[in-house]
Amino acid sequence: MAISMAIVTIVLSLGSWSPPPPPPLSNPPPLHPTGRRSSLASWEAFVRRAYDRIYRPFRSRCHADAPALECLEAMYAATEEADAPWWLRTMLRDARHAHAAILHGAWHSLASRRPTGSAVCTIEKVGTTNFRRFMALLQADGARGARGCSARPFASIHSVLAPEEGVAYTGRRRGHDEMIGALHGREGWSTFVFLREPLERFASGFEDKCRRNPAERHCSPLEIFGNGSRSRALRSHTSLRGQLAAYADTFPLSWNLHFFPQALFCDDLGRNLHRYSFVGRMNETFLQQMRHVAAHIDHCASSQAGASDAAMRAYRCVFPVKQDGHATHAKRHVSRMISAFSARRLLEIFSIDYVELELPLPSFLEELPF
């Protein structure tokens, strides 16, 4: 009987046994040196690997002096011979065709002779509407008084430059890219472009075209997202992050010009950004940067033909002083719109912007698990 009780005691003891807890650490190590969930260095390495694996093999097919469309054609042809993500092939497919994306439309390369030669590459969701007004006012020789803040919609580079000036123009689709490219470093001319943080730009485009203004029919593919936030594909997600993630996984089926990488715009910014006279960023200092551009244009005009303030007057018309300087409204909300999963997908797609345009990653990525 005593032996049986001993066996029962041993069995009960074994059944309730658990390993002892580890000794407490006086200073537990952080998850990474900054104490946050991930580091920008990890995301930067991810972006660099994505670019090297996805874009670099195809960008190498572009000759240094090849026009933008010729480069796109070469890249697209290369995807037929090599292993490429499906979305890269659809991107290049749609970038080549004017009816699908109009990536090389006339409004992307604007110019003005007045008060001196200036040209701008405009990119959707990077102040395009304001730049159209600014360049139109310049070409109208500035604005005088409250009634002077109006002009024709925009001044395309082809409508401003005459072919006899020796600036290349070989057709509607190619000409605008080639013409702005020919103005880099040209005496009496300045070229400028503004860029935007890619994830912020994507979130802004999604909020604008898919949630607020789906009737504009820019939330492609329209077969899936034609009704914007009322589309079944988005209604099935209750959170904003879920909706954006669903769109991030699907939008490359049919590319819209509001979501193409910035590196592909105009004369192929990824290869020619260094040739621009001024490269700005659409961030908290956007208005100050634009004021600097206007002052530069007036300074160049004054040195050529006497005092001018036409560019500064156009600036005040388009960018009123009452604006608070926060030109990127989506910036305050982008961190709550993008999950770690959609961040990985979008960073792969827009790795060409981060690497070729040397854009910094947003700091909110440090809050996401890598």
Side-chain angles (χ1 to χ4, degrees):
M1 185 65 178
I3 295 176
S4 299
M5 290 296 295
I7 293 174
V8 171
T9 302
I10 293 172
V11 171
L12 290 175
S13 299
L14 289 174
S16 61
W17 181 86
S18 60
L25 297 175
S26 56
N27 293 302
L31 293 178
H32 74 76
T34 65
R36 296 179 178 177
R37 303 184 69 181
S38 61
S39 68
L40 279 184
S42 300
W43 289 107
E44 288 168 355
F46 174 85
V47 168
R48 174 62 67 174
R49 288 194 301 269
Y51 176 83
D52 290 342
R53 175 172 51 88
I54 297 171
Y55 284 103
R56 190 179 297 280
F58 302 102
R59 290 296 261 175
S60 64
R61 303 298 184 96
C62 299
H63 187 271
D65 299 324
L69 189 58
E70 184 177 315
C71 176
L72 291 173
E73 296 282 4
M75 292 175 65
Y76 183 69
T79 62
E80 297 179 344
E81 308 166 1
D83 185 24
W86 67 269
W87 53 260
L88 177 62
R89 185 164 174 78
T90 59
M91 175 200 296
L92 297 172
R93 175 201 67 194
D94 293 348
R96 294 161 53 247
H97 296 296
H99 73 276
I102 321 181
L103 186 60
H104 305 282
W107 59 90
H108 288 142
S109 299
L110 309 181
S112 174
R113 293 178 180 275
R114 303 170 181 170
T116 186
S118 58
V120 59
C121 166
T122 67
I123 302 170
E124 270 68 25
K125 303 309 300 178
V126 192
T128 303
T129 302
N130 286 337
F131 287 128
R132 290 182 192 176
R133 286 195 62 211
F134 179 76
M135 297 303 290
L137 288 169
L138 284 186
Q139 184 61 12
D141 203 15
R144 298 187 181 279
R147 295 183 179 180
C149 291
S150 62
R152 58 181 178 172
F154 62 86
S156 72
I157 198 167
H158 180 235
S159 66
V160 172
L161 299 179
E164 57 267 21
E165 288 192 26
V167 179
Y169 182 74
T170 59
R172 184 175 183 274
R173 289 180 64 196
R174 295 173 181 262
H176 306 290
D177 308 327
E178 295 173 2
M179 292 176 85
I180 195 171
L183 292 178
H184 298 312
R186 187 182 178 92
E187 185 177 357
W189 283 86
S190 299
T191 55
F192 66 98
V193 63
F194 276 79
L195 307 173
R196 190 173 185 178
E197 200 289 307
L199 295 187
E200 179 188 327
R201 175 174 172 259
F202 182 87
S204 175
F206 174 76
E207 182 72 22
D208 179 15
K209 304 306 177 184
C210 295
R211 289 174 55 83
R212 292 201 305 265
N213 301 297
E216 295 180 359
R217 299 182 67 78
H218 285 299
C219 190
S220 301
L222 296 176
E223 297 84 353
I224 302 176
F225 302 106
N227 291 325
S229 58
R230 295 186 298 275
S231 299
R232 182 178 180 183
L234 295 185
R235 281 191 290 109
S236 60
H237 299 277
T238 58
S239 70
L240 183 58
R241 277 192 172 188
Q243 290 185 354
L244 186 139
Y247 189 66
D249 282 341
T250 318
F251 84 97
L253 287 169
S254 178
W255 285 78
N256 180 272
L257 71 168
H258 293 82
F259 300 99
F260 271 103
Q262 298 165 82
L264 300 183
F265 276 80
C266 296
D267 55 335
D268 197 333
L269 292 175
R271 293 184 298 137
N272 293 297
L273 187 67
H274 64 282
R275 302 177 63 197
Y276 281 76
S277 309
F278 180 86
V279 178
R281 300 286 188 270
M282 191 174 181
N283 54 25
E284 291 83 355
T285 65
F286 170 65
L287 294 183
Q288 293 94 311
Q289 295 176 65
M290 193 58 217
R291 184 182 180 89
H292 173 78
V293 170
H296 171 76
I297 293 173
D298 281 339
H299 173 75
C300 292
S302 299
S303 63
Q304 296 169 9
S308 171
D309 66 344
M312 195 58 68
R313 284 186 277 113
Y315 166 82
R316 286 192 288 267
C317 280
V318 179
F319 307 99
V321 177
K322 64 181 180 180
Q323 292 191 15
D324 62 4
H326 293 282
T328 56
H329 300 296
K331 187 177 184 66
R332 288 167 285 186
H333 308 295
V334 65
S335 61
R336 66 180 178 85
M337 296 175 68
I338 296 182
S339 67
F341 291 103
S342 54
R344 289 188 184 91
R345 163 55 67 92
L346 295 173
L347 288 175
E348 273 196 336
I349 293 175
F350 296 114
S351 62
I352 187 173
D353 284 348
Y354 289 108
V355 174
E356 293 188 356
L357 304 181
E358 299 182 352
L359 296 175
L361 293 177
S363 59
F364 78 83
L365 289 175
E366 291 182 306
E367 306 294 343
L368 300 178
F370 181 71

